[in-house]
């Protein structure tokens, strides 16, 4: 991992230009002191990837190349700043699609080199968690975090802004991945999580009984069996010419995933004595998960922080937020920074 302990300058106010290109959004933002958004630009490629039912890595890289200059310039413009006015450049360097990450990493390295500003490498999931610092001024570690996205489903102890310990994780599919694959079987376009969420509002969450995985570690998850069950259910019904109540299947699937995530997370919070908790990642936008977790945490006297919907999905503001804390702890990269497709928290 690229972590260089260098002499860290103390800024009266620190403005960070952040870049995020780990998947299918080209994003740039300017964030002040890790908590205040001065600009936040997201150029999504979803319409194009939708045609193929998922993200096509080569297309993602090309679109990042085409958009990055305009997106970064727009972020600076919206913040009414020039490159010279920012104090540091931050970038997501892992995990994600390697070709996509490389576009952001190389562009950020170029900006840092040209401007003489420090370069701050940020782990994508740590960024997702930091979205909470922007939305909630009073949130401070320690707390327990549930990060659920297209690639991760992790329960983590966050002991300070840059120290994370994973105590539970998915053994197979991530929650978002399961949402997207189940959604595809239900006939929804990519990315399907949001469509399941919408359809579920008109369905009966108790109509279809779906399996709940057993795991040795009580804080781990496993969503692949649940996903396969939905795919088989639709497939078998189609073969028999039977109709599937898609709204109720969406509601049942969503209810089951939200129940698994929230019950194991609340159990972990209780077992480890946490009174503060946070939710993060694209799946944090799910209405059932937000509602269920809020209710269950309230019952147990746990204060729960959730980012607003617009900060749940991929964006660069969350990267700018985490970068501020990374910088404070001395995590600065040099020109040898490379992108990594996988990287533990
Ligand atoms: O964090 P994110 O934007 O990208 C990754 O880092 O993976 O997460 C994307 C995932 C997708 O699987 C998407 O379907 C899911 O988050 N998602 C949702 C909702 N909105 C986005 N899943 C369930 N309900 C939603 N409302
Ligand atoms: Zn993400």
């Amino acid at each position: 991992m690229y972590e260089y302990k260098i002499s860290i300058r103390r800024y009266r106010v620190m403005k960070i230009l952040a870049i995020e290109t780990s998947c299918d959004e080209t994003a740039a933002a300017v964030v002040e002191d890790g908590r205040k958004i001065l600009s936040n630009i997201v150029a999504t490629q979803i319409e194009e990837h939708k045609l193929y039912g998922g993200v096509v890595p080569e297309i993602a890289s090309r679109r990042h190349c085409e958009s990055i200059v305009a997106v970064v310039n727009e972020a600076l413009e919206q913040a009414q700043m020039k490159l010279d006015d920012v104090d540091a450049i931050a970038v997501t360097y892992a995990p994600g699609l390697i070709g996509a990450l490389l576009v952001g990493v190389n562009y950020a390295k170029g900006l840092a080199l040209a401007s003489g500003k420090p370069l701050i490498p940020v782990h994508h999931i740590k960024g997702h968690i930091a979205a909470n610092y922007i939305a909630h001024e009073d949130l401070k570690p320690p707390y327990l975090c549930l990060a659920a996205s297209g690639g991760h489903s992790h329960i983590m102890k966050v002991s300070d802004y840059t120290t994370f310990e994973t105590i539970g994780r998915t053994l197979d599919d991530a929650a978002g991945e399961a949402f997207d694959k189940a959604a595809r079987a239900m006939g929804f376009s990519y990315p399907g999580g949001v469509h399941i969420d919408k359809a579920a509002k008109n369905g009966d969450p108790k109509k279809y009984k779906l399996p709940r995985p057993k795991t040795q570690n009580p804080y781990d998850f496993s969503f692949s069996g649940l996903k396969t069950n939905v795919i088989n259910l639709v497939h078998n019904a189609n073969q028999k010419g039977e109709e599937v109540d898609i709204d109720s299947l969406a509601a049942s699937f969503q209810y089951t995933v939200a129940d698994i995530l929230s019950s194991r997370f609340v159990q972990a919070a209780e077992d480890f004595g946490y009174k503060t908790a946070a939710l993060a990642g694209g799946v944090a936008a799910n209405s059932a998960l937000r509602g269920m977790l809020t209710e269950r945490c309230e019952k147990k006297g746990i204060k729960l922080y959730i980012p607003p919907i617009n900060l749940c999905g991929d964006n660069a503001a969350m990267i700018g937020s985490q970068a501020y804390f990374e910088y404070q702890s001395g995590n600065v990269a040099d020109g040898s920074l490379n992108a990594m497709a996988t990287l533990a928290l």
Side-chain angles (χ1 to χ4, degrees), residues 172-173 178-179 182 208-213 222-233 249 252-258 260:
D172 39 58
D173 290 4
F179 261 103
Y208 294 96
K209 293 273 165 285
L210 298 170
R212 273 145 210 279
S222 163
F223 294 111
S224 124
L226 175 58
K227 167 204 71 184
T228 306
N229 201 275
V230 168
I231 294 170
N232 289 344
L233 193 150
L249 184 57
S252 304
F253 174 79
Q254 174 174 281
Y255 176 85
T256 310
V257 174
I260 293 167

Side-chain angles (χ1 to χ4, degrees), residues 20 22-23 95 124-125 128 148-152 281-282 312-315 318:
E20 152 66 46
S22 68
C23 192
H124 182 75
I125 296 300
H128 270 300
S149 70
H152 289 73
C312 288
D314 290 348
N315 65 85
M318 67 188 198

